[in-house]
């Protein structure tokens, strides 16, 4: 079992709809979670971090964390073609500063 | 804003050459990381450093070494480049325990070894 799992996609969503991206992790003691966006040929860029159970909103993005079920999700409202990218989920590994990365979900927003 | 820069966007080297990839961050971050990213394999950690002159192996350190003589600079060295080291190399930094573990990435270096 991988430490951080994501559906590789592609996930196709019509423009204006809500895109829902999911991530599960295996270490029940994990405390810090991150979502990154990566455009083709570019480096990952941080979207948001989440540390507590529940929802965290930032503009059109909402991160949701459920530690009991060991999953974290990212919702993108009013999806735009510019949101088409690969979305990476990362989980902090213990106390040695490393992030454990999922393989990413490719999202395609269709006009 | 955090800025992480890498010395080259594209690099072409020959098999057996010694290759230096440089990374500089301007935000006084404690931690710095080197990854490689290959299609279908995701981000893989090569080495990281949590302080000047300190380094730890990541998941795939074989064939690589690192140097961190100053806090802002973290170098990745390919001792004798091989074709299987053709990849996208990404440097990242994070503030650390005092300020968070979010990693900020440089633009990447696409290395081709022929």
């Amino acid at each position: 079992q991988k430490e951080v799992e994501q559906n590789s996609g592609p996930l196709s969503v019509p423009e204006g709809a809500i895109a829902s991206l999911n991530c599960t992790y295996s270490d029940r003691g994990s405390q810090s979670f991150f979502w990154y966006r990566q455009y083709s040929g570019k480096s990952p860029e941080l979207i948001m971090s989440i540390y507590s159970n529940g929802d965290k909103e930032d503009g059109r993005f909402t991160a949701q964390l459920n530690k009991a079920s060991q999953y974290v999700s990212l919702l993108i409202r009013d999806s735009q073609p510019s949101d088409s990218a690969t979305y990476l989920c990362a989980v902090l590994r213990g106390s040695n500063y490393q992030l454990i990365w999922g393989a990413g979900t490719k999202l395609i927003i269709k006009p | 804003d955090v800025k992480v820069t890498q010395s080259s966007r594209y690099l072409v080297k020959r098999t057996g050459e010694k290759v230096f990839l440089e990374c500089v961050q301007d935000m006084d971050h404690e931690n710095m990381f080197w990854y490689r990213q290959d299609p279908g394999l995701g981000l893989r950690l090569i080495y990281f450093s949590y302080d000047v002159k300190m380094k730890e192996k990541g998941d795939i350190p074989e064939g690589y070494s690192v140097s961190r003589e100053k806090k802002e600079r973290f170098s990745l060295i390919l001792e004798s480049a091989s074709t299987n080291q053709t990849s996208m190399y990404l440097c990242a930094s994070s503030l650390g325990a005092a300020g968070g573990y979010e990693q900020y990435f440089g633009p990447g270096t696409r290395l081709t070894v022929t």
Side-chain angles (χ1 to χ4, degrees):
Chain A
Q1 181 190 8
K2 293 182 180 178
E3 291 185 72
V4 179
E5 297 209 53
Q6 296 180 256
N7 189 319
S8 62
L11 175 65
S12 184
V13 174
E15 183 176 357
I18 296 175
S20 178
L21 303 158
N22 299 313
C23 172
T24 59
Y25 59 95
S26 61
D27 183 356
R28 186 169 289 277
S30 298
Q31 298 293 326
S32 304
F33 307 86
F34 308 89
W35 281 102
Y36 286 77
R37 176 177 63 197
Q38 186 174 25
Y39 292 113
S40 180
K42 303 293 186 182
S43 58
E45 53 181 334
L46 179 70
I47 299 173
M48 60 197 307
S49 55
I50 186 166
Y51 305 100
S52 303
N53 277 329
D55 294 359
K56 180 181 178 182
E57 189 175 315
D58 184 359
R60 294 186 298 112
F61 298 97
T62 300
Q64 299 176 318
L65 175 60
N66 184 323
K67 290 183 180 179
S69 300
Q70 295 176 242
Y71 81 78
V72 57
S73 60
L74 180 71
L75 303 178
I76 307 174
R77 289 184 301 281
D78 189 24
S79 297
Q80 302 297 311
S82 58
D83 295 325
S84 298
T86 295
Y87 288 80
L88 302 170
C89 170
V91 179
L92 182 67
R93 170 186 275 171
S95 59
N96 67 355
Y97 322 119
Q98 292 184 58
L99 295 184
I100 309 304
W101 296 87
T105 298
K106 185 173 183 177
L107 176 66
I108 299 171
I109 306 300
K110 292 194 169 181
Chain B
D1 281 352
V2 177
K3 188 166 184 182
V4 181
T5 58
Q6 294 183 231
S7 49
S8 305
R9 291 299 306 275
Y10 300 93
L11 207 54
V12 180
K13 295 293 182 180
R14 294 196 180 275
T15 301
E17 279 193 82
K18 192 169 185 175
V19 181
F20 294 86
L21 302 181
E22 301 283 332
C23 175
V24 177
Q25 50 92 6
D26 68 354
M27 285 300 292
D28 202 35
H29 281 183
E30 298 290 331
N31 309 317
M32 297 187 75
F33 307 82
W34 275 107
Y35 295 91
R36 63 178 284 178
Q37 188 174 34
D38 302 286
L41 296 177
L43 278 167
R44 293 183 290 168
L45 181 65
I46 304 171
Y47 268 98
F48 69 101
S49 169
Y50 53 90
D51 200 353
V52 175
K53 296 190 186 294
M54 306 303 289
K55 60 185 179 184
E56 285 202 24
K57 294 180 180 179
D59 300 317
I60 52 163
E62 297 78 18
Y64 304 94
S65 62
V66 291
S67 172
R68 193 170 181 198
E69 297 295 320
K70 293 184 178 182
K71 191 175 185 179
E72 68 271 18
R73 189 179 297 269
F74 192 34
S75 302
L76 179 69
I77 303 151
L78 286 65
E79 298 291 343
S80 177
S82 64
T83 55
N84 63 12
Q85 292 179 311
T86 291
S87 186
M88 170 70 92
Y89 289 88
L90 292 161
C91 175
S93 70
S94 68
L95 190 56
Y101 298 101
E102 293 86 348
Q103 291 185 13
Y104 297 90
F105 286 82
T109 295
R110 187 164 293 282
L111 173 67
T112 302
V113 183
T114 62

